[in-house]
Amino acid sequence: MCQVFLAFVCIIGILAASSPVQHARGIRNFNTNQLIQVTGAHKFVSATAADLRGPCPGLNALANHNYISHDGVVSVLDAILVSLDVFGFGPDTGVVAGILSLYGANLPLLDFSIGNSPGGLRGILGIIFGKGGGLSGTHNQFESDSSATRCDLYEPGCPDNYTPLGDRFGALINLLEQNPDPKANFDVIIQHRVNTFHHSVQNNPFFFYGPVQMLVSCIIHTLIPALMSNHSAEYPKGYLDVDGLSSLYGMNRGRDGQFRYTRNERIPENWFGRPRDDPYVGLTYGLPDLLQMWTKYPETFIIGGNTGEVNSFTPLDITDFTHGVYSAESLLLGNNAACFAFQLVQILTPSILVNLEAILAGLLADVAAVVGEQILALACPTLEAMKLESLNQYPGYKKSAGYGM
Ligand code: HEM
Ligand SMILES: *[C@@H]1O[C@H](CO)[C@@H](O)[C@H](O)[C@H]1NC(C)=O
């Protein structure tokens, strides 16, 4: 019954069957043990030119505080477990992120650079055995267009796809400053998501918002309030603090009011993270957040891309793409969007991994050993294959490695 590419769901199913868990969304008490340690072994140390940094502010900050290796090369398992431990990242989303990071990983060692290719012997091994190009090199596999603060890879006038831009970050901060009530934080983020989507449609002729890219770029927006909020007794669910967020993003506001990236993502002193016992589990928090975003602004949910010119966004026919298993409407129902995400990961990754099943089993067992019952079961419609050729209408898909390898 467990086909090779279904191993992921089977293992999740088995874990969950042995210990089902219910998350009480919304019930949360503030505890001072949420303080993130930034002294001693975890004091902030600036990244040198040789240290690798990339498209993820969370991992960059973890490296600058020596929670993961300061040089920016990290084992897949460490990236997941440390993200969970320090920021309360969800184990399920963590495992999916860990699997996607394999696209940029050095496969024999199962480690990856959080930025560009590490070069040297590691880089060479990576090139021989796997991509090894680091997270920055995973365009359209993990790193996606219409990010929260980064440029699209093929966007004209842009430096690269991983350096945050001061003006995009500033646009987010402006929205926050116009709506300072912490209760409005999530609305601000989804408004920003709408803006980053339109920005790509209007500026990048090769904007590709495929299934993976749509999910990745939407989820990373939700990570900002979910994982980058400060917490207090008054706001146990957290609130976005402009200075704290700027620090976490390595952004400095000049006298002219403009933000500039310093490459110094730093966890503020006296910063209270998400409660460790209430991580941002994809199924209980991430999915409802996404559904809220997608139903409020349906354009953020329409998979597709530009066709070589700006403002040429053309939606993909989901029914055709999934051979009738899902439709644009049904993806919004129940757990279908999560199912679709997990299935995309399963179907798309095996081509790079000879030993996928063993790697996944190991990864899941190790994560489960730490978090146990927090990995949940999903009962999903069977999706055997996708009609990848229908993505060829999007030049932004064809220009990059696309899916698989
Ligand atoms: C296993 C661990 C993780 C991996 C492999 C990972 C990987 C990535 C990647 C590849 C991107 C770029 C996506 C894009 O192009 O849009 C990204 C973006 C992002 N990540 Fe992570 N991440 C991890 C953990 C975290 C954590 C713990 C946080 C929060 C503290 C975080 C917050 C973010 C945010 C906010 C962005 C959006 C960046 C922007 O465009 O401004 N990530 N991550
Ligand atoms: C975070 O919240 C705590 C608790 O309210 C507060 O004491 C602290 O100053 C805040 N931290 C920052 C850096 O704003």
Side-chain angles (χ1 to χ4, degrees), residues 140 208-213 303-307 315-318 320-321 344 348 386-399 402-403:
N140 274 355
F208 181 54
Y209 199 63
V212 171
Q213 297 70 25
I303 294 166
N306 276 344
T307 56
L316 176 75
D317 182 340
I318 296 297
D320 183 53
F321 182 68
L344 282 167
L348 299 177
M386 288 167 298
K387 207 169 148 189
L388 289 180
E389 59 273 22
S390 52
L391 298 176
N392 287 332
Q393 60 180 307
Y394 305 112
Y397 166 73
K398 287 209 287 184
K399 268 170 90 80
Y403 296 117

Short mmCIF file of all heavy atoms in Angstrom, two decimals, residues 140 208-213 303-307 315-318 320-321 344 348 386-399 402-403:
data_model
loop_
_atom_site.label_atom_id
_atom_site.label_comp_id
_atom_site.label_asym_id
_atom_site.label_seq_id
_atom_site.Cartn_x
_atom_site.Cartn_y
_atom_site.Cartn_z
N ASN A 140 12.52 28.01 -7.74
CA ASN A 140 11.38 27.23 -8.22
C ASN A 140 11.29 25.83 -7.61
O ASN A 140 10.37 25.08 -7.93
CB ASN A 140 11.35 27.10 -9.75
CG ASN A 140 10.67 28.30 -10.38
OD1 ASN A 140 10.13 29.15 -9.68
ND2 ASN A 140 10.67 28.34 -11.71
N PHE A 208 6.57 33.42 -11.87
CA PHE A 208 5.98 32.08 -11.87
C PHE A 208 5.40 31.80 -10.49
O PHE A 208 6.12 31.83 -9.49
CB PHE A 208 7.03 31.03 -12.24
CG PHE A 208 6.48 29.63 -12.27
CD1 PHE A 208 5.37 29.32 -13.05
CD2 PHE A 208 7.07 28.61 -11.53
CE1 PHE A 208 4.84 28.03 -13.08
CE2 PHE A 208 6.55 27.32 -11.56
CZ PHE A 208 5.45 27.03 -12.34
N TYR A 209 4.11 31.57 -10.48
CA TYR A 209 3.37 31.34 -9.23
C TYR A 209 2.75 29.96 -9.35
O TYR A 209 1.53 29.78 -9.33
CB TYR A 209 2.31 32.44 -9.11
CG TYR A 209 1.71 32.72 -7.75
CD1 TYR A 209 2.47 33.17 -6.69
CD2 TYR A 209 0.33 32.58 -7.56
CE1 TYR A 209 1.89 33.47 -5.46
CE2 TYR A 209 -0.26 32.88 -6.34
CZ TYR A 209 0.53 33.32 -5.29
OH TYR A 209 -0.05 33.63 -4.09
N GLY A 210 3.65 28.96 -9.52
CA GLY A 210 3.20 27.57 -9.64
C GLY A 210 2.70 27.06 -8.30
O GLY A 210 2.71 27.79 -7.30
N PRO A 211 2.27 25.79 -8.25
CA PRO A 211 1.69 25.26 -7.02
C PRO A 211 2.64 25.36 -5.82
O PRO A 211 2.25 25.83 -4.75
CB PRO A 211 1.41 23.79 -7.35
CG PRO A 211 1.58 23.64 -8.81
CD PRO A 211 2.26 24.83 -9.36
N VAL A 212 3.89 24.94 -6.01
CA VAL A 212 4.86 25.00 -4.92
C VAL A 212 5.15 26.45 -4.55
O VAL A 212 5.16 26.83 -3.37
CB VAL A 212 6.17 24.29 -5.32
CG1 VAL A 212 7.26 24.54 -4.29
CG2 VAL A 212 5.93 22.81 -5.52
N GLN A 213 5.34 27.27 -5.59
CA GLN A 213 5.73 28.67 -5.36
C GLN A 213 4.61 29.45 -4.69
O GLN A 213 4.86 30.29 -3.83
CB GLN A 213 6.10 29.32 -6.70
CG GLN A 213 7.31 28.70 -7.39
CD GLN A 213 7.06 27.31 -7.94
OE1 GLN A 213 5.92 26.94 -8.23
NE2 GLN A 213 8.11 26.52 -8.06
N ILE A 303 -3.13 29.87 -8.81
CA ILE A 303 -1.86 29.34 -9.31
C ILE A 303 -1.72 29.71 -10.79
O ILE A 303 -2.68 29.65 -11.54
CB ILE A 303 -1.85 27.81 -9.11
CG1 ILE A 303 -1.85 27.51 -7.60
CG2 ILE A 303 -0.67 27.16 -9.81
CD1 ILE A 303 -2.16 26.07 -7.26
N GLY A 304 -0.52 30.10 -11.18
CA GLY A 304 -0.31 30.47 -12.59
C GLY A 304 0.98 31.22 -12.77
O GLY A 304 1.97 30.96 -12.08
N GLY A 305 1.00 32.19 -13.67
CA GLY A 305 2.20 32.97 -13.88
C GLY A 305 2.05 33.92 -15.04
O GLY A 305 1.06 33.86 -15.78
N ASN A 306 3.04 34.81 -15.18
CA ASN A 306 3.08 35.67 -16.36
C ASN A 306 3.63 34.85 -17.52
O ASN A 306 4.36 33.87 -17.33
CB ASN A 306 3.97 36.89 -16.09
CG ASN A 306 3.23 38.00 -15.37
OD1 ASN A 306 1.99 38.01 -15.32
ND2 ASN A 306 3.98 38.95 -14.83
N THR A 307 3.31 35.29 -18.76
CA THR A 307 3.70 34.50 -19.93
C THR A 307 4.77 35.19 -20.76
O THR A 307 4.81 35.04 -21.98
CB THR A 307 2.47 34.19 -20.79
OG1 THR A 307 1.86 35.44 -21.14
CG2 THR A 307 1.47 33.32 -20.06
N PRO A 315 -3.94 32.02 -15.25
CA PRO A 315 -4.13 30.96 -14.25
C PRO A 315 -3.93 29.56 -14.86
O PRO A 315 -4.18 29.35 -16.05
CB PRO A 315 -5.58 31.14 -13.80
CG PRO A 315 -6.03 32.46 -14.31
CD PRO A 315 -5.20 32.76 -15.51
N LEU A 316 -3.48 28.67 -14.00
CA LEU A 316 -3.34 27.27 -14.39
C LEU A 316 -4.67 26.56 -14.10
O LEU A 316 -5.32 26.84 -13.10
CB LEU A 316 -2.23 26.64 -13.53
CG LEU A 316 -1.95 25.15 -13.69
CD1 LEU A 316 -1.19 24.88 -14.99
CD2 LEU A 316 -1.11 24.64 -12.51
N ASP A 317 -5.03 25.65 -14.98
CA ASP A 317 -6.25 24.87 -14.77
C ASP A 317 -5.93 23.72 -13.79
O ASP A 317 -5.30 22.73 -14.16
CB ASP A 317 -6.72 24.32 -16.12
CG ASP A 317 -8.02 23.53 -16.01
OD1 ASP A 317 -8.36 23.09 -14.88
OD2 ASP A 317 -8.67 23.35 -17.04
N ILE A 318 -6.35 23.89 -12.54
CA ILE A 318 -5.99 22.93 -11.48
C ILE A 318 -6.62 21.56 -11.74
O ILE A 318 -6.00 20.51 -11.50
CB ILE A 318 -6.46 23.44 -10.09
CG1 ILE A 318 -5.72 24.72 -9.74
CG2 ILE A 318 -6.21 22.40 -9.00
CD1 ILE A 318 -4.24 24.55 -9.59
N ASP A 320 -7.30 20.13 -14.58
CA ASP A 320 -6.51 19.47 -15.61
C ASP A 320 -5.14 19.06 -15.05
O ASP A 320 -4.67 17.94 -15.25
CB ASP A 320 -6.34 20.47 -16.77
CG ASP A 320 -5.60 19.86 -17.94
OD1 ASP A 320 -6.03 18.77 -18.40
OD2 ASP A 320 -4.59 20.44 -18.39
N PHE A 321 -4.52 19.95 -14.29
CA PHE A 321 -3.17 19.71 -13.76
C PHE A 321 -3.16 18.50 -12.83
O PHE A 321 -2.19 17.75 -12.79
CB PHE A 321 -2.71 20.98 -13.01
CG PHE A 321 -1.32 20.89 -12.44
CD1 PHE A 321 -0.21 20.83 -13.28
CD2 PHE A 321 -1.11 20.89 -11.06
CE1 PHE A 321 1.07 20.76 -12.76
CE2 PHE A 321 0.18 20.83 -10.54
CZ PHE A 321 1.26 20.76 -11.39
N LEU A 344 2.55 17.28 -3.34
CA LEU A 344 3.51 17.89 -4.26
C LEU A 344 4.92 17.55 -3.82
O LEU A 344 5.76 17.16 -4.62
CB LEU A 344 3.35 19.42 -4.24
CG LEU A 344 2.19 20.00 -5.03
CD1 LEU A 344 1.98 21.46 -4.66
CD2 LEU A 344 2.46 19.89 -6.52
N LEU A 348 7.27 15.37 -6.17
CA LEU A 348 8.32 16.11 -6.84
C LEU A 348 9.73 15.77 -6.38
O LEU A 348 10.67 15.90 -7.13
CB LEU A 348 8.09 17.62 -6.66
CG LEU A 348 6.77 18.12 -7.25
CD1 LEU A 348 6.59 19.59 -6.96
CD2 LEU A 348 6.72 17.87 -8.75
N MET A 386 0.93 14.50 -11.65
CA MET A 386 0.43 15.81 -12.09
C MET A 386 0.85 16.03 -13.52
O MET A 386 1.85 15.48 -13.98
CB MET A 386 1.03 16.91 -11.22
CG MET A 386 0.48 16.92 -9.83
SD MET A 386 1.49 17.96 -8.76
CE MET A 386 3.05 17.13 -8.81
N LYS A 387 0.09 16.86 -14.19
CA LYS A 387 0.37 17.11 -15.60
C LYS A 387 1.38 18.25 -15.71
O LYS A 387 1.03 19.40 -15.99
CB LYS A 387 -0.93 17.48 -16.30
CG LYS A 387 -0.97 17.17 -17.77
CD LYS A 387 -2.39 17.32 -18.26
CE LYS A 387 -2.41 17.79 -19.69
NZ LYS A 387 -3.79 18.13 -20.11
N LEU A 388 2.65 17.91 -15.43
CA LEU A 388 3.67 18.95 -15.36
C LEU A 388 3.82 19.71 -16.68
O LEU A 388 4.19 20.88 -16.68
CB LEU A 388 5.02 18.34 -14.97
CG LEU A 388 5.13 17.85 -13.52
CD1 LEU A 388 6.50 17.27 -13.26
CD2 LEU A 388 4.84 18.99 -12.55
N GLU A 389 3.52 19.02 -17.80
CA GLU A 389 3.75 19.70 -19.09
C GLU A 389 2.88 20.95 -19.24
O GLU A 389 3.22 21.86 -19.98
CB GLU A 389 3.59 18.75 -20.27
CG GLU A 389 2.24 18.07 -20.42
CD GLU A 389 2.10 16.75 -19.64
OE1 GLU A 389 2.87 16.55 -18.66
OE2 GLU A 389 1.22 15.95 -19.99
N SER A 390 1.76 21.00 -18.47
CA SER A 390 0.94 22.21 -18.62
C SER A 390 1.62 23.45 -18.02
O SER A 390 1.17 24.57 -18.21
CB SER A 390 -0.46 22.01 -18.03
OG SER A 390 -0.38 21.54 -16.72
N LEU A 391 2.72 23.23 -17.30
CA LEU A 391 3.45 24.38 -16.75
C LEU A 391 4.35 25.03 -17.81
O LEU A 391 4.87 26.13 -17.60
CB LEU A 391 4.29 23.95 -15.55
CG LEU A 391 3.50 23.39 -14.36
CD1 LEU A 391 4.44 22.91 -13.27
CD2 LEU A 391 2.54 24.46 -13.80
N ASN A 392 4.53 24.32 -18.94
CA ASN A 392 5.43 24.87 -19.97
C ASN A 392 4.94 26.16 -20.59
O ASN A 392 5.69 26.85 -21.26
CB ASN A 392 5.65 23.83 -21.07
CG ASN A 392 6.56 22.71 -20.59
OD1 ASN A 392 7.40 22.93 -19.72
ND2 ASN A 392 6.38 21.52 -21.12
N GLN A 393 3.68 26.51 -20.34
CA GLN A 393 3.17 27.79 -20.86
C GLN A 393 3.80 28.97 -20.12
O GLN A 393 3.66 30.11 -20.56
CB GLN A 393 1.65 27.83 -20.73
CG GLN A 393 1.16 27.71 -19.29
CD GLN A 393 -0.36 27.74 -19.15
OE1 GLN A 393 -1.01 28.65 -19.63
NE2 GLN A 393 -0.92 26.72 -18.50
N TYR A 394 4.48 28.69 -18.98
CA TYR A 394 5.05 29.78 -18.20
C TYR A 394 6.57 29.82 -18.39
O TYR A 394 7.28 28.90 -17.95
CB TYR A 394 4.75 29.59 -16.70
CG TYR A 394 3.26 29.45 -16.43
CD1 TYR A 394 2.73 28.24 -16.00
CD2 TYR A 394 2.40 30.53 -16.63
CE1 TYR A 394 1.36 28.10 -15.76
CE2 TYR A 394 1.04 30.40 -16.41
CZ TYR A 394 0.53 29.19 -15.97
OH TYR A 394 -0.81 29.06 -15.76
N PRO A 395 7.09 30.86 -19.04
CA PRO A 395 8.54 30.91 -19.27
C PRO A 395 9.35 30.94 -17.97
O PRO A 395 10.48 30.46 -17.94
CB PRO A 395 8.73 32.20 -20.08
CG PRO A 395 7.46 32.97 -19.95
CD PRO A 395 6.38 32.00 -19.63
N GLY A 396 8.76 31.49 -16.89
CA GLY A 396 9.48 31.51 -15.61
C GLY A 396 9.69 30.10 -15.06
O GLY A 396 10.58 29.87 -14.25
N TYR A 397 8.86 29.18 -15.48
CA TYR A 397 9.03 27.77 -15.10
C TYR A 397 10.11 27.14 -15.95
O TYR A 397 11.01 26.48 -15.45
CB TYR A 397 7.71 27.04 -15.28
CG TYR A 397 7.80 25.52 -15.25
CD1 TYR A 397 8.04 24.84 -14.06
CD2 TYR A 397 7.66 24.78 -16.42
CE1 TYR A 397 8.13 23.46 -14.05
CE2 TYR A 397 7.74 23.40 -16.41
CZ TYR A 397 7.98 22.73 -15.22
OH TYR A 397 8.07 21.38 -15.20
N LYS A 398 10.04 27.41 -17.25
CA LYS A 398 11.01 26.79 -18.16
C LYS A 398 12.41 27.33 -17.99
O LYS A 398 13.39 26.63 -18.19
CB LYS A 398 10.55 27.00 -19.62
CG LYS A 398 9.36 26.12 -19.97
CD LYS A 398 9.32 25.75 -21.43
CE LYS A 398 8.92 26.94 -22.29
NZ LYS A 398 8.79 26.56 -23.72
N LYS A 399 12.52 28.60 -17.59
CA LYS A 399 13.84 29.21 -17.44
C LYS A 399 14.65 28.61 -16.29
O LYS A 399 15.87 28.69 -16.30
CB LYS A 399 13.69 30.72 -17.15
CG LYS A 399 13.70 31.61 -18.37
CD LYS A 399 13.29 33.03 -18.00
CE LYS A 399 14.45 33.92 -17.59
NZ LYS A 399 15.19 34.47 -18.72
N GLY A 402 12.88 24.21 -12.83
CA GLY A 402 11.52 23.69 -12.73
C GLY A 402 11.47 22.70 -11.60
O GLY A 402 12.19 22.82 -10.61
N TYR A 403 10.60 21.76 -11.70
CA TYR A 403 10.47 20.77 -10.64
C TYR A 403 11.38 19.59 -10.90
O TYR A 403 11.69 19.28 -12.03
CB TYR A 403 9.04 20.26 -10.58
CG TYR A 403 8.04 21.31 -10.22
CD1 TYR A 403 7.04 21.66 -11.11
CD2 TYR A 403 8.11 21.93 -8.99
CE1 TYR A 403 6.12 22.62 -10.77
CE2 TYR A 403 7.19 22.89 -8.65
CZ TYR A 403 6.19 23.24 -9.54
OH TYR A 403 5.28 24.18 -9.20
#
